[in-house]
């Protein structure tokens, strides 16, 4: 059995855990691993829904069980595996990658991931406004002011605005209340999704609005890209930038699926 196959399935009855550095290095090789299974599915267990490949329980690269918290998410992850051709291309498997992150990376370090997220409370995208042109100023206000109003109602968070890129210090109680909201997310899948939404948008408030159902993913994406939309309207669209943006949106939508999972 190849190293790639044992990384995902393990040897029958093998309780030993491999070197995670070797596993990670194997997944960074330019050559894509060949598809080694015929059928992808999942099995229901007490702890969740385990991905199966040809009926055998699958693992993450660190050899933890690749187990999803909901049937809907398990179906989508299994569909990613079923859609692979002769090779397994992780770039085409955003839900699987995020599941691996949640299981291997977030679960053992929940506090550190939450702390990283809390840092965004002081530098949120929606606090930094353009001074001109008026069209952009109006677009930012239309997209972001309702989010600020929601944050006041939902958390009691008062966000101070800044014009341009000059840093503005946010009130300590605002930082604290948003940090409390982050630390309340203890499910590793939801926290992984929240982290990805925040880092992709630069806005903890937008990410929390998705998590709490205030914004649909499409609304959140549009709110996070007001500036890009304006620039494209003025200067036209850049093909390379559009490709990068499309890739980021795929990651964004995968993260939105994770925060919507009922653990």
């Amino acid at each position: 059995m190849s190293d790639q196959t044992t990384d995902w399935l393990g040897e029958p009855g093998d309780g030993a855990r491999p070197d995670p550095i070797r596993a990670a290095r194997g997944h960074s090789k330019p050559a894509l691993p060949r598809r080694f299974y015929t059928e992808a599915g999942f099995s229901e267990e007490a702890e969740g829904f385990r991905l199966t490949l040809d009926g055998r329980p699958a693992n993450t690269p660190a050899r933890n069980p690749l187990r999803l918290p909901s049937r809907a998410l398990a179906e989508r992850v299994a569909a990613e595996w079923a859609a692979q051709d002769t090779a397994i291309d992780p770039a085409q498997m955003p839900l699987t990658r995020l599941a691996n992150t949640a299981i291997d990376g977030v679960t053992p370090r929940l506090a550190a991931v939450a702390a990283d997220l809390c840092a965004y409370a002081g530098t949120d995208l929606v606090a930094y406004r353009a001074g001109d042109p008026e069209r952009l100023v109006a677009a930012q206000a239309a997209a972001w002011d309702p989010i600020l109003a929601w944050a006041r109602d939902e958390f009691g968070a008062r966000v101070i605005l800044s014009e341009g890129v000059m840093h503005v210090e946010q009130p300590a109680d605002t930082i604290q209340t948003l940090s409390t909201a982050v630390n309340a997310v203890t499910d590793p899948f939801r926290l992984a999704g929240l982290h990805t939404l925040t880092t992709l948008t630069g806005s903890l408030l937008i990410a929390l609005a998705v998590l709490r159902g205030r914004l649909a993913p499409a609304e959140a994406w549009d709110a996070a890209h007001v500036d890009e939309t304006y620039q494209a309207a003025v200067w036209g669209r850049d093909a390379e930038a559009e490709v990068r943006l499309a890739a980021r949106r795929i990651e964004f939508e995968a993260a939105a699926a994770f925060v919507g999972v009922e653990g």
Side-chain angles (χ1 to χ4, degrees):
M1 187 178 288
S2 69
D3 286 345
Q4 184 67 40
T5 304
T6 55
D7 281 346
W8 287 112
L9 297 177
E11 294 285 4
D14 178 14
R17 299 175 66 84
D19 181 353
I21 296 177
R22 180 195 64 76
R25 185 178 298 119
H27 283 272
S28 67
K29 293 178 180 178
L32 296 176
R34 291 186 62 80
R35 176 169 172 159
F36 55 86
Y37 56 92
T38 300
E39 182 180 14
F42 61 90
S43 61
E44 186 171 0
E45 303 176 345
E47 301 88 347
F49 299 83
R50 181 83 173 267
L51 176 72
T52 60
L53 302 174
D54 289 339
R56 296 181 58 193
N59 296 325
T60 67
R63 297 285 295 283
N64 292 304
L66 209 175
R67 186 180 291 122
L68 294 309
S70 75
R71 178 179 295 274
L73 192 56
E75 288 174 347
R76 294 181 62 180
V77 169
E80 286 187 341
W81 285 84
Q84 300 305 297
D85 195 4
T86 58
I88 303 171
D89 184 0
Q92 305 301 318
M93 307 170 77
L95 290 167
T96 299
R97 294 200 314 275
L98 193 52
N100 289 336
T101 296
I103 296 166
D104 291 346
V106 176
T107 297
R109 49 192 301 272
L110 287 171
V113 174
D116 187 52
L117 271 175
C118 291
Y120 281 84
T123 60
D124 201 283
L125 168 75
V126 302
Y128 293 87
R129 305 298 181 90
D132 56 69
E134 183 58 34
R135 181 179 168 187
L136 177 57
V137 173
Q140 289 179 341
W144 297 346
D145 287 356
I147 296 171
L148 294 177
W150 170 79
R152 286 194 300 271
D153 294 341
E154 184 82 359
F155 306 114
R158 179 174 59 91
V159 176
I160 298 175
L161 305 186
S162 175
E163 187 174 300
V165 296
M166 183 69 68
H167 177 70
V168 59
E169 193 78 19
Q170 297 299 333
D173 59 346
T174 294
I175 302 293
Q176 181 58 50
T177 192
L178 293 178
S179 296
T180 298
V182 169
N183 284 296
V185 183
T186 57
D187 177 84
F189 283 82
R190 288 168 66 84
L191 190 61
L194 184 66
H195 191 278
T196 298
L197 291 175
T198 302
T199 55
L200 285 174
T201 63
S203 174
L204 177 60
L205 291 179
I206 290 176
L208 285 170
V210 176
L211 176 77
R212 297 206 172 198
R214 170 59 179 81
L215 290 176
E219 294 173 320
W221 178 264
D222 290 343
H225 293 86
V226 170
D227 291 7
E228 290 87 343
T229 300
Y230 169 79
Q231 295 295 336
V234 172
W235 302 106
R237 297 190 177 276
D238 176 83
E240 291 186 4
E242 289 293 306
V243 170
R244 291 193 297 270
L245 199 62
R248 288 167 62 86
R249 182 154 193 173
I250 290 172
E251 301 295 325
F252 180 90
E253 291 174 349
F258 271 58
V259 300
V261 170
E262 294 296 332

